[in-house]
Amino acid sequence: MNDRFIELDRIEKVFDVRKKTGFLRRERREVRAVDSISFTVARGEMVGYIGPNGAGKSTTIKMLTGILTPSGGRLRVAGIDPSRERTRLARRIGVVFGQRTTLWWDLPLIDSYRLMHRMYRIPDARYRENLGRCVELLELGALLDVPVRQLSLGQRMRGDIAAALLHDPEVLYLDEPTIGLDVISKAKVREFLKDLNTEQGTTVLLTTHDLQDIEQLCRRVMVIDHGRLMYDGPLTGLHEVGESERTLVVDLERELPPIEAAPARVVRVEGPRQWLAFPASESAAPLVARIASAYPLVDLSVREPDIEAVIAQMYAQQAVSNAVS
Amino acid sequence: MADLDERAVARPAEDPFGEYGVYSRVRDGLRAYRMIAAMWIRSTMAYRASFAMTTFGNFAATSFDFVAILLMFSQVDELGGYALPEIALLYGTSAVAFGLADLLIGSMDRLGHRVRDGTLDTLLVRPVPVLAQVAADKFALRRLGRVTQGLFVLGYALATLDVAWTPVKVLMIPLMVASGGLIFCAVFVGGAAFQFVAQDASEVQNAFTYGGVTLLQYPPSVFAKDLLRGVTFLLPLAFVNWLPGLYVLGRPYPLDLPTWVAFAPPLVAVACCALAGVAWRAGLRTYRSTGS
Ligand SMILES: Nc1ncnc2c1ncn2[C@@H]1O[C@H](COP(=O)(O)OP(=O)(O)OP(=O)(O)O)[C@@H](O)[C@H]1O
Ligand SMILES: [Mg+2]
């Protein structure tokens, strides 16, 4: 039961898009926003859900919260079918949309919280405790009496995160919670989410375009593109899947023609310095030995592929294979 | 923990009296409505002077309708065969009925915006009915201005009417206002449901609500028969004040209808609300959010 807290089985979402092509003429087109995705998330996990723009991340979250009904497949969150029993599920989940607020725009922040208190029927003691913790950790104290529309983006986001947690949700969905935040705010939010997950055991699923969020928070990451799940596993495993390359930076005694040392290939030359790319799965030692025996070496270093580049490559590859198919 | 799992496994109660049945949803909805409306009232009351001014403004603006009728009567003695107190009765009852509906759920005509920009999403993830949240959103107490204005005109009508009051006729007045209010509420909800499909339809909705109440302020005898048929059988606005009002005044309705229809408004109101509820659910099901 517990290891299948969130369960998606071949979930699909197809949007019917109608476009006006002329006077009274309309063209119908189907957009497969989510295309047969299956995964499960256990209670207490913290999962990153990433992918390029338009990959279907937000659509997935909307189905998980019951906002959208899947076009096909089976979906359960805590044993509940979200779109059929949306209201019942609502008590048990928290949602933060980075792009829009769930707070009451024209009213002071504290009014939204008071209303949540009664709307979710949160016991008084729990409410005070949760609000107190959020106010302290998210530094909301000075903002409580400010109307939401006057808050800055980062302040509002922190306010939204607190609002999503007052009722002790079992799972928290965050759709781009760090979008537009400065470095300090981001760090604060990440710290808070980490504590929430480890101390309260809240299950967290977050989408983001900031890979640092994932690196610092999630042991598990799912990559989705064109509505399909491309990768599901630990962040480090992405290197292997992504056919990523490491770089060998070689400083020679003098300028020389490009080094020949397959499978490495020279990708850049700058005076006596040359950059060689080789598959991340290859060991660097024999390569270094070969180069050292054939060329006058001064210095050398190996650079690991950064995750950012791996993912960029993965997105790009996907785009190419889609163009081909 | 065990408790949670049990809840997760339990199927939703099909029983309408159960925890997630129709009745508990209505109860939850009303409760949420009261909570949200109360919050808006509290926030309005923080600026009392501004509240007093906007309420008076609402009162004055809605009074112009009746002033126009008064001006007409400075030239003529009757309109469509009706004297001023009689018209005041029709005007007062429909104005109060509409004013109450407008006060309670008048902000629903903005639903189209929420549908178009996808902000309805945030209401869908809360554990209370969406209808209650939309209806109570930006609850504006200043709309009491219209109700007050209607009550003044109604008071004038009751004081000056030359009618042989029977207990039934006396009872008819509050009944008219209550069922009329419900009928208008149903029109508001139905119009909002339509905005799920046509997001720019708030103009259409306004034509039926604000247009409808303006229509009802005049006696039916000044309108064409086809229009009367429309507002009797299609969009039953005639049941707000015309049919029961003409019974009170002891006048026949221009269409050939039996007398008992004067007592039908409560039933018509309930039927309209049920229909509007069905339309709302159907509309909400078509909601598909927006990209982003
Ligand atoms: N309500 C909608 N109607 C029509 N098409 C939609 C709708 N919502 C999303 N889409 C389409 O579905 C696809 C996936 O959109 P989605 O918002 O899930 O992407 P995303 O992964 O969240 O992207 P981003 O990183 O840009 O937020 C896109 O092609 C988008 O145009
Ligand atoms: Mg998105």
Side-chain angles (χ1 to χ4, degrees), chain A residues 57-58 99 175-176, chain B residues 292:
Chain A
K57 303 180 296 293
S58 301
Q99 313 270 13
D175 194 354
E176 304 191 32
Chain B
S292 94

Side-chain angles (χ1 to χ4, degrees), chain B residues 92-106:
Chain B
T93 44
S94 66
V96 176
F98 179 78
L100 288 175
D102 188 43
L103 172 72
L104 290 177
I105 63 176

Side-chain angles (χ1 to χ4, degrees), chain A residues 177-188:
Chain A
T178 53
I179 188 171
L181 301 197
D182 67 33
V183 192
I184 297 171
S185 297
K186 272 186 187 172
K188 234 179 261 167

